[in-house]
Amino acid sequence: MHFLPENIDNYVVRHSQQEPKILQELSKETWQKVLNPRMLSGAFQGRILSMISKLVQPKTVLEIGTYTGYSALCFAEGLQPEGKIITIDKNEELATLQNKYFEKSGYRNQIEQFVGDATQIIPKLNTTFDLVFIDADKSNYINYFHLIIDKINPGGIILSDNVLWSGKVVEKLDSKDTDTKVLLEYNNLLNADNRIETVLLPIRDGLTVSRVI
């Protein structure tokens, strides 16, 4: 979903940092071999994730929704030398592709993968986080927020992807559309919760940045 005129959007992309070669390779292989490649963060948004990580310089990152590992490698670019990324995905079939690029990246020892239901895994994580990325099943976004909010260090950042949901959040709601219904509630929750301050950015499919106070 593009919210800018195409010529402006293209100009923005051309005048932003280009993705590293390894991410170009991962993106190409994802589009060639994996179902629903549109789930990939992509070059432009990936550079935004990388920039945010470099600004935060996190020691600990939690990613909910690994997919093929593209966004995890973007976050790794800003990770402290002794830092760690914990990434969770329910699709074990993608682990081989993830590991291939984690190994090539040089960040393999700093990335810990979990396969399974994030709502069951997160409560068992005995750590706090400087940066959290929520990019998994939309129907659980509210559940993820409540599970992670008390695990984020003061000043930590929550990034929530796909919060505009191809523009469906401003269209008439289909009563059977659970994902859009939850996202509408989630966006209201982020804007109202006094533990965080939030800005929703109309980047690609919508990216919300929330800072824990």
Side-chain angles (χ1 to χ4, degrees):
M1 187 84 183
H2 296 262
F3 295 95
L4 292 172
E6 185 176 1
N7 60 339
I8 297 295
D9 192 85
N10 290 337
Y11 183 88
V12 169
V13 171
R14 287 197 307 270
H15 290 81
S16 298
Q17 185 72 35
Q18 300 300 298
E19 64 184 340
K21 183 178 179 182
I22 186 173
L23 292 181
Q24 294 176 20
E25 295 172 0
L26 173 53
S27 180
K28 181 178 180 181
E29 188 163 354
T30 298
W31 278 89
Q32 289 174 340
K33 298 180 179 180
V34 182
L35 290 174
N36 300 318
R38 286 172 57 86
M39 291 172 59
L40 200 69
S41 289
F44 178 64
Q45 183 168 320
R47 291 304 84 204
I48 293 170
L49 301 181
S50 170
M51 179 66 77
I52 292 173
S53 184
K54 289 171 182 175
L55 291 170
V56 174
Q57 296 185 325
K59 186 173 182 179
T60 49
V61 176
L62 173 62
E63 178 183 58
I64 307 171
T66 315
Y67 193 46
T68 58
Y70 189 101
S71 52
L73 292 179
C74 292
F75 291 124
E77 294 176 34
L79 200 61
Q80 292 185 26
E82 72 282 14
K84 182 167 97 171
I85 296 173
I86 292 176
T87 184
I88 306 170
D89 201 285
K90 63 183 180 182
N91 189 349
E92 62 183 345
E93 295 179 0
L94 295 174
T96 299
L97 183 57
Q98 295 164 9
N99 279 309
K100 175 182 176 180
Y101 284 90
F102 291 165
E103 291 284 354
K104 290 178 69 173
S105 71
Y107 295 114
R108 169 67 279 177
N109 293 335
Q110 293 178 275
I111 301 175
E112 183 176 3
Q113 296 155 278
F114 286 86
V115 177
D117 184 345
T119 63
Q120 301 300 313
I121 294 170
I122 294 170
K124 299 175 184 177
L125 299 177
N126 187 26
T127 188
T128 57
F129 299 95
D130 301 311
L131 181 59
V132 175
F133 185 44
I134 302 176
D135 186 22
D137 52 317
K138 312 311 164 193
S139 60
N140 265 316
Y141 266 36
I142 293 172
N143 294 329
Y144 294 143
F145 175 81
H146 289 308
L147 287 170
I148 58 96
I149 186 62
D150 291 328
K151 291 180 177 288
I152 303 177
N153 296 318
I157 299 295
I158 305 167
L159 300 175
S160 307
D161 201 14
N162 305 118
V163 290
L164 293 177
W165 207 223
S166 298
K168 292 180 182 178
V169 293
V170 294
E171 297 174 355
K172 183 178 180 181
L173 180 64
D174 182 337
S175 60
K176 298 179 181 178
D177 187 351
T178 303
D179 287 341
T180 301
K181 181 176 183 294
V182 172
L183 282 173
L184 287 167
E185 294 175 4
Y186 180 73
N187 290 340
N188 288 335
L189 170 64
L190 293 185
N191 201 37
D193 196 299
N194 59 16
R195 293 170 293 182
I196 57 176
E197 50 189 7
T198 290
V199 177
L200 196 164
L201 305 176
I203 295 169
R204 292 302 189 261
D205 200 24
L207 179 70
T208 296
V209 181
S210 303
R211 177 182 175 271
V212 176
I213 298 172

